Amino acid sequence: MSDPFDCFIIFAEMRTGSNFLESNLDQFPGLQCYGEAFNPYFMVTPNTDELFGVTVAMRDADPMLLLERIKAETEGLPGFRFFHDHDPRVFNALIDDPRCAKVVLTRNMVDAYVSRRIAMATDQWQLSNEKHARKKKARFIPEEFEKLFYRIKSFQVKIKDRLQRTGQTAFYIDYEEAQDLAVINGLAKFLGERTEITDFASTFKKQNPEPLSDKVQQFELLASTVARIDVFDLHKLPGFEASRPPALKSYLASDALQLVFLPIAGGPSDRVVEWMEAAGPLACDFTQKTLRQWKRQHKAHRSFTVLRHPVSRLHAVFCDLLTVHEDDPDRNLKHALRQTHGVALPDDPAAPWTLGDHRDAFVQFIAFVARSLEGRTATGVDPRWASQAETIKGFAGFALPDHILREDQLEAGLDHILAEVQADTAPTLPAAAADTPFPLEQVYADDIEAAVRQAYQRDYMMFGFRPWGMSG
């Protein structure tokens, strides 16, 4: 009887114990793991230049080349770890393939997040000797945690759904279960291994065994945030309850205006939010249930979103990437843009940055976004540069907005909606802020318009965008 699998994939996330699991699977003579082989920012490990003659650049151009080399040149069954932000082309190639064994490693998301924040603070991502452990309390950032929670949960739902639809099963293993030798041997049997191990690998040690309350600076803030999200589901795989669309978390509602705003990432959201807040406090953090309740309580409500010209939107996103943030959430993205995708972002905020530098880098960024939208990069499509047509289509998962306004006609559009709901107040729309360090007026040229139009052909067609700066 032939072996049922020709490779295996470990679906995991940062700080779920995937290094520890891999080090133990590598003890079996018939199994061989290749780390984060399809991490968009490095290959296998940050210090790996090539694998089976395939460089990072070759892998990014054709990930199937590396996958086939791994299968062909490994003695035994090869596998690798795969996170939600790894190359989506590899996910699509393997998720429906019954010859690829699926292992799903999970961990309580709060524990994983806190471990990640400690690793960032100490710059210690692995530990082989307890004597060298660095200790520092984690800084808890509610918005960052919620965004990560819903992103990972959505990915887990996607895995489960695709496996169910193709009649496959996965080996599910939790962080704590991975520290049970019998479970590790059971996983090896699932993968077709005929031997057993008697001891754990000594490569990695648990880094932060202390109670959660001792590892976080603002434990009360953590507790209240978790309670607001879904305290009973943070440690489980999604089960019978349908997943909640992450986009709902960004919706904002005004009781005074009876309006619900559906932001499009990269759009003029700050300006609209400031306008709404002038009328009174805003409601947020919606689920499908709470948003339905809000709508029932405001029967004359209207919902709306705002389109931004693709050139203006992409330039605003680019300018934001030039900004240096504390605990920068885009650190890895910026590194990949510089090192892999040829976008000359400045890495020193004190270095000179001319208009010519800015324009050249923006053109490079447009080219990267075009490749990303076509699925030709290891970096997935970020909501900030996803097409606006696809974003609005996503809104339909709950309900389409009543109105789709345009930034260049925003004041008139808002006035029209206020008339519909017969609002008692009419806030003044704040002026639009210019992009920094250089406004788009100084950067724009015909070649930029042409490049953006090529990348966003569907948006230009669906919404009738004319060249930037022209009315309509």
Side-chain angles (χ1 to χ4, degrees):
M1 182 176 176
S2 61
D3 293 331
F5 305 123
D6 57 21
C7 68
F8 66 94
I9 184 170
I10 301 172
F11 291 114
E13 298 296 337
M14 290 179 63
R15 316 310 290 175
T16 57
S18 61
N19 276 310
F20 179 75
L21 178 60
E22 178 176 326
S23 69
N24 286 297
L25 291 179
D26 277 338
Q27 292 192 86
F28 293 92
L31 303 177
Q32 178 64 55
C33 297
Y34 293 101
E36 298 179 45
F38 297 96
N39 187 311
Y41 307 114
F42 58 80
M43 182 170 65
V44 184
T45 71
N47 298 321
T48 304
D49 294 323
E50 65 175 46
L51 179 63
F52 296 124
V54 178
T55 65
V56 173
M58 293 167 64
R59 179 206 65 177
D60 288 349
D62 182 8
M64 296 303 104
L65 172 63
L66 177 59
L67 182 60
E68 293 308 316
R69 292 273 180 91
I70 288 175
K71 290 181 182 180
E73 301 190 31
T74 299
E75 291 186 11
L77 186 70
F80 53 89
R81 293 177 283 139
F82 193 94
F83 301 172
H84 77 276
D85 56 352
H86 287 188
D87 194 329
R89 295 170 293 181
V90 178
F91 178 88
N92 290 327
L94 293 181
I95 189 62
D96 296 334
D97 182 2
R99 294 285 297 168
C100 175
K102 280 76 177 181
V103 180
V104 181
L105 174 64
T106 60
R107 186 183 185 185
N108 179 299
M109 291 193 199
V110 175
D111 287 332
Y113 176 80
V114 170
S115 177
R116 180 178 183 177
R117 294 298 308 179
I118 292 174
M120 292 176 66
T122 61
D123 198 28
Q124 186 174 58
W125 297 88
Q126 299 175 0
L127 181 65
S128 57
N129 188 329
E130 290 92 338
K131 295 180 181 179
H132 301 149
R134 304 170 192 164
K135 297 297 179 180
K136 195 169 185 179
K137 286 193 173 184
R139 178 183 171 213
F140 183 76
I141 306 173
E143 297 81 6
E144 180 183 63
F145 172 74
E146 291 186 44
K147 181 179 179 181
L148 187 65
F149 168 73
Y150 284 111
R151 184 179 296 166
I152 291 174
K153 185 172 182 179
S154 176
F155 185 59
Q156 291 174 340
V157 170
K158 184 178 181 180
I159 293 169
K160 178 175 69 71
D161 179 70
R162 293 285 285 271
L163 294 179
Q164 289 177 331
R165 292 175 184 275
T166 53
Q168 299 181 77
T169 187
F171 191 101
Y172 291 96
I173 181 170
D174 186 71
Y175 175 84
E176 301 296 336
E177 295 169 339
Q179 299 173 58
D180 184 332
L181 200 60
V183 174
I184 297 298
N185 283 318
L187 170 55
K189 288 185 176 68
F190 171 79
L191 296 174
E193 176 61 35
R194 295 172 176 80
T195 64
E196 292 188 351
I197 59 174
T198 57
D199 295 292
F200 286 117
S202 59
T203 311
F204 301 105
K205 307 295 183 183
K206 189 170 183 178
Q207 289 182 246
N208 305 291
E210 301 83 7
L212 188 64
S213 57
D214 294 342
K215 295 188 289 189
V216 183
Q217 294 176 10
Q218 321 98 313
F219 184 71
E220 295 78 10
L221 179 60
L222 181 153
S224 62
T225 301
V226 171
R228 188 175 69 249
I229 299 175
D230 192 354
V231 70
F232 299 109
D233 197 35
L234 284 167
H235 68 293
K236 299 177 182 177
L237 281 173
F240 302 105
E241 182 181 327
S243 63
R244 292 172 291 184
L248 283 171
K249 302 297 294 183
S250 68
Y251 292 7
L252 296 162
S254 167
D255 292 343
L257 301 177
Q258 298 196 81
L259 297 180
V260 182
F261 174 45
L262 285 60
I264 296 176
S269 300
D270 291 345
R271 189 180 178 201
V272 175
V273 170
E274 184 179 346
W275 174 79
M276 294 175 71
E277 287 179 331
L282 303 184
C284 59
D285 289 332
F286 287 110
T287 63
Q288 290 192 11
K289 179 180 178 180
T290 58
L291 186 52
R292 287 193 183 100
Q293 291 173 341
W294 187 94
K295 288 190 172 189
R296 292 190 190 103
Q297 294 165 3
H298 302 80
K299 297 187 182 302
H301 70 270
R302 293 291 187 272
S303 59
F304 70 99
T305 191
V306 181
L307 294 173
R308 170 173 270 180
H309 193 284
V311 173
S312 180
R313 179 171 176 246
L314 208 54
H315 187 253
V317 172
F318 173 74
C319 289
D320 187 59
L321 289 173
L322 297 178
T323 305
V324 177
H325 302 279
E326 182 182 0
D327 295 328
D328 195 341
D330 289 319
R331 179 180 60 179
N332 286 336
L333 171 62
K334 292 177 182 180
H335 178 78
L337 288 173
R338 295 186 192 101
Q339 301 299 319
T340 305
H341 301 291
V343 182
L345 295 179
D347 53 9
D348 180 0
W353 183 252
T354 67
L355 177 59
D357 296 331
H358 184 96
R359 190 180 183 284
D360 290 344
F362 182 44
V363 170
Q364 295 159 358
F365 180 66
I366 296 170
F368 157 74
V369 168
R371 295 193 300 272
S372 173
L373 292 170
E374 293 171 357
R376 294 193 291 117
T377 68
T379 306
V381 177
D382 190 284
R384 290 169 291 183
W385 62 75
S387 71
Q388 294 176 86
E390 283 299 316
T391 302
I392 293 174
K393 180 180 176 182
F395 292 155
F398 178 74
L400 284 167
D402 296 302
H403 294 276
I404 299 177
L405 308 182
R406 296 171 184 267
E407 184 179 22
D408 60 350
Q409 301 169 8
L410 187 54
E411 187 170 4
L414 293 174
D415 286 345
H416 177 75
I417 297 177
L418 290 179
E420 284 190 7
V421 298
Q422 299 179 359
D424 295 329
T425 58
T428 299
L429 183 67
D435 294 335
T436 58
F438 297 102
L440 184 54
E441 289 85 352
Q442 297 182 27
V443 180
Y444 180 80
D446 290 344
D447 61 325
I448 287 177
E449 178 69 46
V452 174
R453 178 180 288 273
Q454 182 65 29
Y456 289 100
Q457 293 182 54
R458 188 178 180 199
D459 278 358
Y460 275 83
M461 177 189 70
M462 293 291 291
F463 304 118
F465 288 115
R466 303 179 69 187
W468 182 82
M470 297 181 64
S471 61

mmCIF file with all atom_site columns, all heavy atoms in Angstrom, residues 191-203:
data_model
loop_
_atom_site.group_PDB
_atom_site.id
_atom_site.type_symbol
_atom_site.label_atom_id
_atom_site.label_alt_id
_atom_site.label_comp_id
_atom_site.label_asym_id
_atom_site.label_entity_id
_atom_site.label_seq_id
_atom_site.pdbx_PDB_ins_code
_atom_site.Cartn_x
_atom_site.Cartn_y
_atom_site.Cartn_z
_atom_site.occupancy
_atom_site.B_iso_or_equiv
_atom_site.pdbx_formal_charge
_atom_site.auth_seq_id
_atom_site.auth_comp_id
_atom_site.auth_asym_id
_atom_site.auth_atom_id
_atom_site.pdbx_PDB_model_num
ATOM 1   N N   . LEU A 1 191 ? 0.966  10.925 10.120 1.00 0.00 ? 191 LEU A N   1
ATOM 2   C CA  . LEU A 1 191 ? 1.770  11.287 8.940  1.00 0.00 ? 191 LEU A CA  1
ATOM 3   C C   . LEU A 1 191 ? 2.420  10.081 8.276  1.00 0.00 ? 191 LEU A C   1
ATOM 4   O O   . LEU A 1 191 ? 3.136  10.240 7.287  1.00 0.00 ? 191 LEU A O   1
ATOM 5   C CB  . LEU A 1 191 ? 2.847  12.299 9.354  1.00 0.00 ? 191 LEU A CB  1
ATOM 6   C CG  . LEU A 1 191 ? 2.321  13.654 9.860  1.00 0.00 ? 191 LEU A CG  1
ATOM 7   C CD1 . LEU A 1 191 ? 3.474  14.514 10.375 1.00 0.00 ? 191 LEU A CD1 1
ATOM 8   C CD2 . LEU A 1 191 ? 1.556  14.389 8.770  1.00 0.00 ? 191 LEU A CD2 1
ATOM 9   N N   . GLY A 1 192 ? 2.185  8.891  8.818  1.00 0.00 ? 192 GLY A N   1
ATOM 10  C CA  . GLY A 1 192 ? 2.709  7.678  8.192  1.00 0.00 ? 192 GLY A CA  1
ATOM 11  C C   . GLY A 1 192 ? 4.015  7.174  8.776  1.00 0.00 ? 192 GLY A C   1
ATOM 12  O O   . GLY A 1 192 ? 4.606  6.221  8.246  1.00 0.00 ? 192 GLY A O   1
ATOM 13  N N   . GLU A 1 193 ? 4.483  7.795  9.866  1.00 0.00 ? 193 GLU A N   1
ATOM 14  C CA  . GLU A 1 193 ? 5.740  7.374  10.498 1.00 0.00 ? 193 GLU A CA  1
ATOM 15  C C   . GLU A 1 193 ? 5.509  6.094  11.314 1.00 0.00 ? 193 GLU A C   1
ATOM 16  O O   . GLU A 1 193 ? 4.494  5.967  12.005 1.00 0.00 ? 193 GLU A O   1
ATOM 17  C CB  . GLU A 1 193 ? 6.265  8.496  11.398 1.00 0.00 ? 193 GLU A CB  1
ATOM 18  C CG  . GLU A 1 193 ? 7.505  8.166  12.174 1.00 0.00 ? 193 GLU A CG  1
ATOM 19  C CD  . GLU A 1 193 ? 8.693  7.825  11.302 1.00 0.00 ? 193 GLU A CD  1
ATOM 20  O OE1 . GLU A 1 193 ? 8.826  8.433  10.210 1.00 0.00 ? 193 GLU A OE1 1
ATOM 21  O OE2 . GLU A 1 193 ? 9.500  6.979  11.711 1.00 0.00 ? 193 GLU A OE2 1
ATOM 22  N N   . ARG A 1 194 ? 6.473  5.178  11.246 1.00 0.00 ? 194 ARG A N   1
ATOM 23  C CA  . ARG A 1 194 ? 6.307  3.880  11.900 1.00 0.00 ? 194 ARG A CA  1
ATOM 24  C C   . ARG A 1 194 ? 7.114  3.745  13.184 1.00 0.00 ? 194 ARG A C   1
ATOM 25  O O   . ARG A 1 194 ? 7.034  2.724  13.869 1.00 0.00 ? 194 ARG A O   1
ATOM 26  C CB  . ARG A 1 194 ? 6.687  2.761  10.928 1.00 0.00 ? 194 ARG A CB  1
ATOM 27  C CG  . ARG A 1 194 ? 5.749  2.689  9.711  1.00 0.00 ? 194 ARG A CG  1
ATOM 28  C CD  . ARG A 1 194 ? 6.238  1.704  8.664  1.00 0.00 ? 194 ARG A CD  1
ATOM 29  N NE  . ARG A 1 194 ? 5.300  1.577  7.560  1.00 0.00 ? 194 ARG A NE  1
ATOM 30  C CZ  . ARG A 1 194 ? 5.203  2.431  6.555  1.00 0.00 ? 194 ARG A CZ  1
ATOM 31  N NH1 . ARG A 1 194 ? 5.997  3.492  6.512  1.00 0.00 ? 194 ARG A NH1 1
ATOM 32  N NH2 . ARG A 1 194 ? 4.330  2.240  5.583  1.00 0.00 ? 194 ARG A NH2 1
ATOM 33  N N   . THR A 1 195 ? 7.902  4.746  13.519 1.00 0.00 ? 195 THR A N   1
ATOM 34  C CA  . THR A 1 195 ? 8.692  4.693  14.743 1.00 0.00 ? 195 THR A CA  1
ATOM 35  C C   . THR A 1 195 ? 8.125  5.666  15.766 1.00 0.00 ? 195 THR A C   1
ATOM 36  O O   . THR A 1 195 ? 7.230  6.464  15.456 1.00 0.00 ? 195 THR A O   1
ATOM 37  C CB  . THR A 1 195 ? 10.162 5.051  14.467 1.00 0.00 ? 195 THR A CB  1
ATOM 38  O OG1 . THR A 1 195 ? 10.237 6.413  14.018 1.00 0.00 ? 195 THR A OG1 1
ATOM 39  C CG2 . THR A 1 195 ? 10.754 4.133  13.408 1.00 0.00 ? 195 THR A CG2 1
ATOM 40  N N   . GLU A 1 196 ? 8.652  5.600  16.985 1.00 0.00 ? 196 GLU A N   1
ATOM 41  C CA  . GLU A 1 196 ? 8.248  6.518  18.036 1.00 0.00 ? 196 GLU A CA  1
ATOM 42  C C   . GLU A 1 196 ? 9.477  7.139  18.678 1.00 0.00 ? 196 GLU A C   1
ATOM 43  O O   . GLU A 1 196 ? 10.574 6.590  18.594 1.00 0.00 ? 196 GLU A O   1
ATOM 44  C CB  . GLU A 1 196 ? 7.427  5.786  19.119 1.00 0.00 ? 196 GLU A CB  1
ATOM 45  C CG  . GLU A 1 196 ? 6.069  5.311  18.641 1.00 0.00 ? 196 GLU A CG  1
ATOM 46  C CD  . GLU A 1 196 ? 5.214  4.768  19.787 1.00 0.00 ? 196 GLU A CD  1
ATOM 47  O OE1 . GLU A 1 196 ? 5.768  4.613  20.909 1.00 0.00 ? 196 GLU A OE1 1
ATOM 48  O OE2 . GLU A 1 196 ? 4.009  4.524  19.566 1.00 0.00 ? 196 GLU A OE2 1
ATOM 49  N N   . ILE A 1 197 ? 9.302  8.296  19.305 1.00 0.00 ? 197 ILE A N   1
ATOM 50  C CA  . ILE A 1 197 ? 10.389 8.915  20.058 1.00 0.00 ? 197 ILE A CA  1
ATOM 51  C C   . ILE A 1 197 ? 10.095 8.757  21.551 1.00 0.00 ? 197 ILE A C   1
ATOM 52  O O   . ILE A 1 197 ? 8.940  8.617  21.956 1.00 0.00 ? 197 ILE A O   1
ATOM 53  C CB  . ILE A 1 197 ? 10.569 10.406 19.701 1.00 0.00 ? 197 ILE A CB  1
ATOM 54  C CG1 . ILE A 1 197 ? 9.281  11.211 19.969 1.00 0.00 ? 197 ILE A CG1 1
ATOM 55  C CG2 . ILE A 1 197 ? 11.003 10.552 18.241 1.00 0.00 ? 197 ILE A CG2 1
ATOM 56  C CD1 . ILE A 1 197 ? 9.438  12.711 19.766 1.00 0.00 ? 197 ILE A CD1 1
ATOM 57  N N   . THR A 1 198 ? 11.137 8.739  22.351 1.00 0.00 ? 198 THR A N   1
ATOM 58  C CA  . THR A 1 198 ? 10.983 8.524  23.793 1.00 0.00 ? 198 THR A CA  1
ATOM 59  C C   . THR A 1 198 ? 11.267 9.770  24.620 1.00 0.00 ? 198 THR A C   1
ATOM 60  O O   . THR A 1 198 ? 10.981 9.794  25.818 1.00 0.00 ? 198 THR A O   1
ATOM 61  C CB  . THR A 1 198 ? 11.902 7.387  24.255 1.00 0.00 ? 198 THR A CB  1
ATOM 62  O OG1 . THR A 1 198 ? 13.262 7.724  23.906 1.00 0.00 ? 198 THR A OG1 1
ATOM 63  C CG2 . THR A 1 198 ? 11.516 6.077  23.583 1.00 0.00 ? 198 THR A CG2 1
ATOM 64  N N   . ASP A 1 199 ? 11.813 10.810 24.001 1.00 0.00 ? 199 ASP A N   1
ATOM 65  C CA  . ASP A 1 199 ? 12.115 12.058 24.706 1.00 0.00 ? 199 ASP A CA  1
ATOM 66  C C   . ASP A 1 199 ? 11.857 13.233 23.787 1.00 0.00 ? 199 ASP A C   1
ATOM 67  O O   . ASP A 1 199 ? 11.970 13.130 22.561 1.00 0.00 ? 199 ASP A O   1
ATOM 68  C CB  . ASP A 1 199 ? 13.578 12.086 25.164 1.00 0.00 ? 199 ASP A CB  1
ATOM 69  C CG  . ASP A 1 199 ? 13.888 11.028 26.205 1.00 0.00 ? 199 ASP A CG  1
ATOM 70  O OD1 . ASP A 1 199 ? 13.366 11.155 27.323 1.00 0.00 ? 199 ASP A OD1 1
ATOM 71  O OD2 . ASP A 1 199 ? 14.640 10.082 25.885 1.00 0.00 ? 199 ASP A OD2 1
ATOM 72  N N   . PHE A 1 200 ? 11.547 14.368 24.380 1.00 0.00 ? 200 PHE A N   1
ATOM 73  C CA  . PHE A 1 200 ? 11.397 15.590 23.606 1.00 0.00 ? 200 PHE A CA  1
ATOM 74  C C   . PHE A 1 200 ? 12.761 16.108 23.159 1.00 0.00 ? 200 PHE A C   1
ATOM 75  O O   . PHE A 1 200 ? 13.772 15.880 23.835 1.00 0.00 ? 200 PHE A O   1
ATOM 76  C CB  . PHE A 1 200 ? 10.701 16.678 24.427 1.00 0.00 ? 200 PHE A CB  1
ATOM 77  C CG  . PHE A 1 200 ? 9.228  16.465 24.603 1.00 0.00 ? 200 PHE A CG  1
ATOM 78  C CD1 . PHE A 1 200 ? 8.682  16.260 25.858 1.00 0.00 ? 200 PHE A CD1 1
ATOM 79  C CD2 . PHE A 1 200 ? 8.377  16.483 23.507 1.00 0.00 ? 200 PHE A CD2 1
ATOM 80  C CE1 . PHE A 1 200 ? 7.318  16.075 26.027 1.00 0.00 ? 200 PHE A CE1 1
ATOM 81  C CE2 . PHE A 1 200 ? 7.017  16.297 23.657 1.00 0.00 ? 200 PHE A CE2 1
ATOM 82  C CZ  . PHE A 1 200 ? 6.479  16.089 24.922 1.00 0.00 ? 200 PHE A CZ  1
ATOM 83  N N   . ALA A 1 201 ? 12.761 16.831 22.054 1.00 0.00 ? 201 ALA A N   1
ATOM 84  C CA  . ALA A 1 201 ? 13.980 17.514 21.625 1.00 0.00 ? 201 ALA A CA  1
ATOM 85  C C   . ALA A 1 201 ? 14.324 18.592 22.646 1.00 0.00 ? 201 ALA A C   1
ATOM 86  O O   . ALA A 1 201 ? 13.441 19.203 23.252 1.00 0.00 ? 201 ALA A O   1
ATOM 87  C CB  . ALA A 1 201 ? 13.777 18.139 20.244 1.00 0.00 ? 201 ALA A CB  1
ATOM 88  N N   . SER A 1 202 ? 15.598 18.827 22.837 1.00 0.00 ? 202 SER A N   1
ATOM 89  C CA  . SER A 1 202 ? 16.041 19.809 23.837 1.00 0.00 ? 202 SER A CA  1
ATOM 90  C C   . SER A 1 202 ? 16.326 21.174 23.226 1.00 0.00 ? 202 SER A C   1
ATOM 91  O O   . SER A 1 202 ? 16.884 22.049 23.882 1.00 0.00 ? 202 SER A O   1
ATOM 92  C CB  . SER A 1 202 ? 17.296 19.295 24.550 1.00 0.00 ? 202 SER A CB  1
ATOM 93  O OG  . SER A 1 202 ? 18.338 19.060 23.611 1.00 0.00 ? 202 SER A OG  1
ATOM 94  N N   . THR A 1 203 ? 15.923 21.357 21.967 1.00 0.00 ? 203 THR A N   1
ATOM 95  C CA  . THR A 1 203 ? 16.280 22.584 21.248 1.00 0.00 ? 203 THR A CA  1
ATOM 96  C C   . THR A 1 203 ? 15.634 23.821 21.845 1.00 0.00 ? 203 THR A C   1
ATOM 97  O O   . THR A 1 203 ? 16.271 24.865 22.000 1.00 0.00 ? 203 THR A O   1
ATOM 98  C CB  . THR A 1 203 ? 15.868 22.457 19.770 1.00 0.00 ? 203 THR A CB  1
ATOM 99  O OG1 . THR A 1 203 ? 16.353 21.217 19.263 1.00 0.00 ? 203 THR A OG1 1
ATOM 100 C CG2 . THR A 1 203 ? 16.449 23.608 18.957 1.00 0.00 ? 203 THR A CG2 1
#
